[in-house]
Amino acid sequence: MPLGDKIGYERNECRYCGVETEFTDDTPGLLDFNIRSGGFDFILTPLMNPDYRPSLLEKESIESRVLPFAGSDLVLSPSQWSSHVVGKISSWIDLDSEDETLRMDSETTLKQEIAWANHLSLQACILPAPKGASCANYARCVNQILQGLNNMQLWLRIPLVKVEEGSVDMNSNNLIDLWELWNSFRILCEHHVQLSVVLDIQSSLPSANSLGRWFGESVRAAILNTDCFLTNGRGYPCLSKRHQSLITGFFNHSIQIIMSGTPTHIIPKAGVDLTSNHSSESIRRNPFRPYLDYIAYLFQRMDPLPEQEVFELGYRDFLQSPLQPLMDNLEAQTYETFEKDSVKYIQYQRAISKALLDRIRDDKASTTTVLMVVGAGRGPLVRASLMAAEETGRKLRVYAVEKNPNAVVTLHSLVKMEKWEDIVSIISCDMRYWDAPEKADILVSELLGSFGDNELSPECLDGAQRFLKEDGISIPSSYTSFIQPVTASKLYNDVKSHKDLVHFETAYVVKVHNVARLASSQPVFTFTHPNYSSKINNERYRKLIFEIPGDTGSAMVHGFAGYFDAVLYKDVHLGIEPSTATPNMFSWFSIFFPLRTPVCIRPGSPLEVHFWRCCGSSKVWYEWCVTSPSQTAVHNSKGRSYWVGL
Amino acid sequence: MPLGDKIGYERNECRYCGVETEFTDDTPGLLDFNIRSGGFDFILTPLMNPDYRPSLLEKESIESRVLPFAGSDLVLSPSQWSSHVVGKISSWIDLDSEDETLRMDSETTLKQEIAWANHLSLQACILPAPKGASCANYARCVNQILQGLNNMQLWLRIPLVKVEEGSVDMNSNNLIDLWELWNSFRILCEHHVQLSVVLDIQSSLPSANSLGRWFGESVRAAILNTDCFLTNGRGYPCLSKRHQSLITGFFNHSIQIIMSGTPTHIIPKAGVDLTSNHSSESIRRNPFRPYLDYIAYLFQRMDPLPEQEVFELGYRDFLQSPLQPLMDNLEAQTYETFEKDSVKYIQYQRAISKALLDRIRDDKASTTTVLMVVGAGRGPLVRASLMAAEETGRKLRVYAVEKNPNAVVTLHSLVKMEKWEDIVSIISCDMRYWDAPEKADILVSELLGSFGDNELSPECLDGAQRFLKEDGISIPSSYTSFIQPVTASKLYNDVKSHKDLVHFETAYVVKVHNVARLASSQPVFTFTHPNYSSKINNERYRKLIFEIPGDTGSAMVHGFAGYFDAVLYKDVHLGIEPSTATPNMFSWFSIFFPLRTPVCIRPGSPLEVHFWRCCGSSKVWYEWCVTSPSQTAVHNSKGRSYWVGL
């Protein structure tokens, strides 16, 4: 029984809750107790008797003996196994033990249990946390297993331990920060997609920055021990504010909860609340029920997603190639989608209004202002301009310049329908080559990509400013790109799945969600219009140094999330940079620049990043690299993998 | 005029010497002065007037102006340019300057000069050393150039600066160790094969360990300033012992010398030695001549290479796939080559003699000892056994077991020719499956690979020990593999050139030469024979920690050189581990385990390495990884890339 459908969530966005159990031979009874009557969605249970040790078997008996597994595929049907059971690999195994017998017993048992789980078609098995700071042999063995695994996932259990201030010593072998253990493990396993994390939540939580790292990792579940719970005034279990907000964060990232430990909150028989939606019988039967009810309550209590977020759910962490609107012509559907972004056009209207008021004093309101919309598309900025004129009582003569002949057809019918023929002239021409009959007072354009200049707004406007008066206004007047380093294991693996260089050197448009933002974003390139410098150069180079907050611990940089902010006119801006983003605007997702080899940063080591914007005769491209704490190759040299055509 | 052919060197192993010159328009005069009369092989000279700055040109004049290059391809023929001139890129360029004009002038000039050098078909250009600790933009620009370069090489000039004890601070931006700058640069350029180093030798030299790193890098030339020279009693220039041994090291690694600086040693006119092989006229004409003579003297003075080294010259740093003698049958030529290694058979004979004396007391010398040679090949160990018997006066009955039917043919004719029919029985059978008519006192085998067990000696001898008496002797009685971390940029690039995973996960047999051995080798796996443990397990796991000497500075680990040492019998051993290697034995080169991503180690950080020997039903393979200071993937998981067939 899922935690409940929530308004604003898609069907597959409900959340599940499981419970960890001890080993028993009676798996059907276990399922009945925890699922049918307990209300949990699945159980996490040991697959093999914990007393089993391969080395204790008599050599002769090996062939005749049956391994001591908990129930077979006749006791439960394969579909019951697969939908209700997550396998728990024996917790005694220690593949990096100095004791060779224990090490070899562990290796044998691990392989036997996973082969068995695979036979049962389980969806996942949880691997016990490595016992010490070293996990090379454990990782090697799991890596071998992953090479031959079908669909089953392996989730490595990692205790979410609080790292004491100052105790992180990168030169010591004391790996107190267990994120580093996870990091070692997954690098040894080559970032295998079927290897994920399950976090063991403790009663004391690490800092918010340290926790935040995990939201960029592949975390599938969080195990919540009853120790973490407090008791409210009525004797019910509840969680601290910090634990509550962590659980909410898990819900937001589709991370399942698994209850664990010893239930200590016994609801007094007399105190059963008759208005609650569960019977007193089930409470008596499963002592975890009050905890499950509380988790369900936290989920139900969450604010519904804003409409825009609901719309964007399907795009989360889904990589798209950026548009090439200069080389390619957009389709009607694309225009229609973007035109629905009313917030964007309201900002444009505000900017145009301000510019009109600044340019034409009230006593000269009858003067006609020449306004050119370059890249008019199907006309939304023409409409915004005319509404600004109406709002301010100014007179306009509008030229709508558009290179896409298909959009020009729509423009013509719009002008006819709206009876704008006297005011609006439609020019079917590339703005860079148009021979304008007069010069403009105001040049309005919206040629921005997620990274600002990445759809070649600078090159287009450099061409268009020929027909802007010397004191004319460009809307936007400037725009700046921003980047920030992120942990993004999902995006990294999606890029990696293509197994080629090209995809690792491409920037993607993506609604980033399963990411950890490791530092505030910083500005990269700025372009200002009009640009009257004697020799226009749109090449740029920027070196950026990011300081990761000290309490984050070590973290992995899989790439950079990119944004833009544009000044339309004076104080009217528009953008997606997180700290200043225009609310409720959906025209742009962020951009993502991957790294071919993720870079691990340790506390106190700044991250030094270089970005270049390069221009050739027929294309524009970016190159990027990291030079500290370690070096990467320069990505996308000569635009060999990714470029925007002029 | 090369420094002279040396006995023991191949034709292409003579060495060249060049001289660095100032910019001049008179390139033919420069060549005449330095090459025809000066005796140098080539000049290193600026290609462009050092006063040139693109930003100082009038915009209008750009198209009409000729770039101020030193002489065209009409002044010197292209073949003169290419064989006698190494281009020196303008030393004022600074592509990472904060001054944007200088930065952009530098970028333009660099591209123009290299395009020109390419036009002239120069073999190489020397890039000036980066000006500061940051070189990202310089490297990016060079990387772009390398993408489009034909055959020309680019040599980055790196001053060989002495790093003061304790001044290497990895958290500071003060990159005092210029090896790190080189390392950044080449990683940013993706280890491009056409990017190499030229070292600028100073009068004060770094420690031997610090210098040693460079012998694993791609160093093409060393520039020797006249400052480095001392003056001997007769007024001639000479070098300190440390400089002499460095230059000798360069000769050994085919690194050319380029003289540079201001000549300060003027040979007194009266003091011209009439017996010297140069005329007093040329001395007057080229003041560098005494330095060149001294360099030539150092080269001539070197010890000739031992015969074995001369034989191996052609194999230096040439990667070979290891033999699969168990799966494949060796060819006659291969047997013949290995049989020439007399040192090896002398060691075997010594070991067998000692074993015979231990086993049969003098008063029982008439007792016949049963000796089996397993893997007899064409019979060299049979011969060694019979010679040991003769030497010790002991009686033998020999079984020569060989699985290769072709070798068995040769064995038969050998036995007939030598009239050994009464003593030697030839068994055409795989030793693992032979049903022996009696048990052996002594089991002699030579199934060792460069890494000891890598040709499956353990598996073969486990099978053969069935027919060894309980108190019988195996020769060898044990063997151990060794590894050591190495800088080996040439080997790394050869592996990388295949552009696939398989080659990065293969161990190669190779005569390592252009490598820096970063730490002493350590033992990995040991096998002892006979092995009477109840459950024979030839899987192995070893974790090794290498401490790199503190005065080395940072270094790059491209992989591991592997060796073996075998105890044949008691104190008679045989092996190629460098510190204990059997002299003048040529049957084995070392083995090389590459790393997919080289690991950079900084002073004080130990290198933690894991090696596994894994056994399947039909193959044996190794897996390996590094876990500290950073993690690599586990290489060759499940033997997917490299394995030895059973």
Side-chain angles (χ1 to χ4, degrees), chain B residues 288-329:
Chain B
F288 277 109
R289 188 65 198 232
Y291 304 95
L292 175 60
D293 289 343
Y294 182 76
I295 299 296
Y297 156 75
L298 287 183
F299 183 66
Q300 295 294 339
R301 202 190 57 175
M302 284 170 67
D303 290 331
L305 280 181
E307 191 186 347
Q308 182 198 344
E309 290 275 318
V310 174
F311 162 76
E312 291 171 357
L313 270 178
Y315 294 97
R316 281 184 176 174
D317 301 311
F318 176 74
L319 299 172
Q320 299 174 269
S321 294
L323 293 173
Q324 292 257 13
L326 195 54
M327 264 173 53
D328 307 336
N329 285 323

Side-chain angles (χ1 to χ4, degrees), chain A residues 195-393:
Chain A
L195 178 68
S196 299
V197 180
V198 54
L199 293 171
D200 232 333
I201 314 299
Q202 319 280 307
S203 57
S204 170
L205 291 176
S207 73
N209 281 323
S210 171
L211 287 174
R213 291 179 295 180
W214 292 105
F215 291 113
E217 300 287 356
S218 175
V219 180
R220 290 282 167 258
I223 298 175
L224 195 58
N225 199 289
T226 51
D227 289 354
C228 298
F229 284 80
L230 310 171
T231 306
N232 73 8
R234 301 174 61 204
Y236 287 95
C238 63
L239 288 170
S240 72
K241 290 273 177 218
R242 289 203 64 209
H243 278 88
Q244 288 180 34
S245 95
L246 181 63
I247 302 293
T248 307
F250 289 155
F251 287 144
N252 268 329
H253 285 80
S254 308
I255 296 168
Q256 309 172 78
I257 307 293
I258 300 173
M259 280 305 308
S260 172
T262 310
T264 51
H265 291 80
I266 307 297
I267 305 297
K269 278 180 188 166
V272 173
D273 184 351
L274 295 175
T275 63
S276 80
N277 62 356
H278 48 73
S279 74
S280 60
E281 186 193 19
S282 71
I283 291 172
R284 266 201 305 277
R285 279 223 294 265
N286 193 312
F288 276 110
R289 188 65 197 235
Y291 302 96
L292 175 60
D293 289 343
Y294 182 75
I295 299 296
Y297 156 75
L298 288 183
F299 183 64
Q300 294 294 339
R301 201 189 59 176
M302 284 170 68
D303 291 330
L305 281 181
E307 190 186 349
Q308 182 197 342
E309 290 275 319
V310 174
F311 163 75
E312 291 170 357
L313 270 179
Y315 294 98
R316 281 183 177 175
D317 301 312
F318 177 76
L319 299 171
Q320 299 174 269
S321 294
L323 293 173
Q324 291 257 15
L326 195 54
M327 264 172 52
D328 307 336
N329 285 323
L330 300 185
E331 293 162 22
Q333 183 57 57
T334 312
Y335 283 116
E336 188 159 304
T337 304
F338 286 123
E339 285 167 16
K340 284 187 182 145
D341 194 349
S342 56
V343 174
K344 180 171 94 177
Y345 297 107
I346 290 169
Q347 290 299 89
Y348 266 93
Q349 188 182 329
R350 286 184 56 208
I352 298 164
S353 293
K354 286 205 174 192
L356 283 173
L357 290 176
D358 278 359
R359 198 153 176 94
I360 311 290
R361 295 197 331 237
D362 280 345
D363 56 345
K364 298 204 171 169
S366 60
T367 313
T368 299
T369 300
V370 178
L371 184 146
M372 294 177 179
V373 177
V374 286
R378 307 198 316 171
L381 287 176
V382 173
R383 185 187 299 276
S385 302
L386 294 175
M387 285 169 77
E390 199 180 309
E391 181 189 337
T392 55

Side-chain angles (χ1 to χ4, degrees), chain A residues 104 136-137 140 143-144 147 184 187-188 190 537 596 610 612 623 625 631-634 637-638 640, chain B residues 104 136-137 140 143-144 147 184 187-188 190 537 596 610 612 623 625 631-634 637-638 640:
Chain A
M104 292 180 42
N137 194 47
R140 178 198 59 92
N143 191 39
Q144 280 195 353
Q147 309 295 313
S184 283
I187 292 176
L188 289 166
E190 300 185 64
N537 183 348
R596 286 158 55 180
H610 304 256
W612 291 267
E623 299 188 17
C625 72
Q631 294 87 19
T632 65
V634 175
S637 184
K638 293 185 101 172
R640 64 184 165 199
Chain B
M104 293 182 38
N137 194 48
R140 178 198 60 91
N143 191 40
Q144 279 195 353
Q147 309 296 313
S184 283
I187 292 176
L188 289 165
E190 302 185 63
N537 183 348
R596 286 157 56 179
H610 305 256
W612 291 267
E623 300 190 15
C625 72
Q631 293 87 20
T632 64
V634 175
S637 184
K638 292 185 101 173
R640 64 184 165 201

Side-chain angles (χ1 to χ4, degrees), chain A residues 390-419:
Chain A
E390 199 180 309
E391 181 189 337
T392 55
R394 298 300 187 267
K395 283 188 64 181
L396 283 189
R397 180 158 60 254
V398 175
Y399 292 87
V401 184
E402 174 53 46
K403 71 157 182 53
N404 177 355
N406 309 310
V408 165
V409 175
T410 320
L411 264 180
H412 271 286
S413 26
L414 177 74
V415 167
K416 201 169 168 191
M417 263 167 54
E418 299 282 357
K419 305 197 195 313

Side-chain angles (χ1 to χ4, degrees), chain B residues 37 43 55 91 184 187 227 255 276 282 304 322 372 393 395 402 423 428 453 456 466 469 542 544 578 624 639 645:
Chain B
S37 38
I43 59 170
S55 61
S91 54
S184 283
I187 292 176
D227 289 353
I255 295 168
S276 80
S282 71
M372 295 178 178
K395 283 188 65 181
E402 174 54 47
I423 312 167
S428 181
D453 59 78
L456 309 193
R466 288 176 295 117
K469 288 181 184 165
R542 182 70 141 211
L544 299 159
W624 61 97

Side-chain angles (χ1 to χ4, degrees), chain A residues 1-7 9-11 13-16 41 296 299-300:
Chain A
M1 185 173 74
L3 296 180
D5 295 330
K6 279 192 65 76
I7 296 154
Y9 279 81
E10 303 274 303
R11 240 171 323 137
E13 288 294 310
C14 60
R15 297 294 176 281
Y16 296 97
D41 302 302
F299 183 64
Q300 294 294 339

Side-chain angles (χ1 to χ4, degrees), chain A residues 470-521:
Chain A
E470 240 178 69
D471 64 344
I473 294 168
S474 168
I475 294 178
S477 63
S478 76
Y479 37 87
T480 300
S481 49
F482 291 81
I483 61 159
Q484 80 183 148
V486 292
T487 303
S489 104
K490 181 316 173 167
L491 300 184
Y492 175 77
N493 265 327
D494 286 354
V495 173
K496 181 167 163 268
S497 68
H498 293 281
K499 297 181 181 176
D500 62 22
L501 180 67
V502 169
H503 283 83
F504 268 121
E505 297 191 334
T506 296
Y508 300 88
V509 166
V510 57
K511 165 80 186 164
V512 293
H513 181 70
N514 186 5
V515 300
R517 298 166 204 263
L518 298 170
S520 300
S521 69

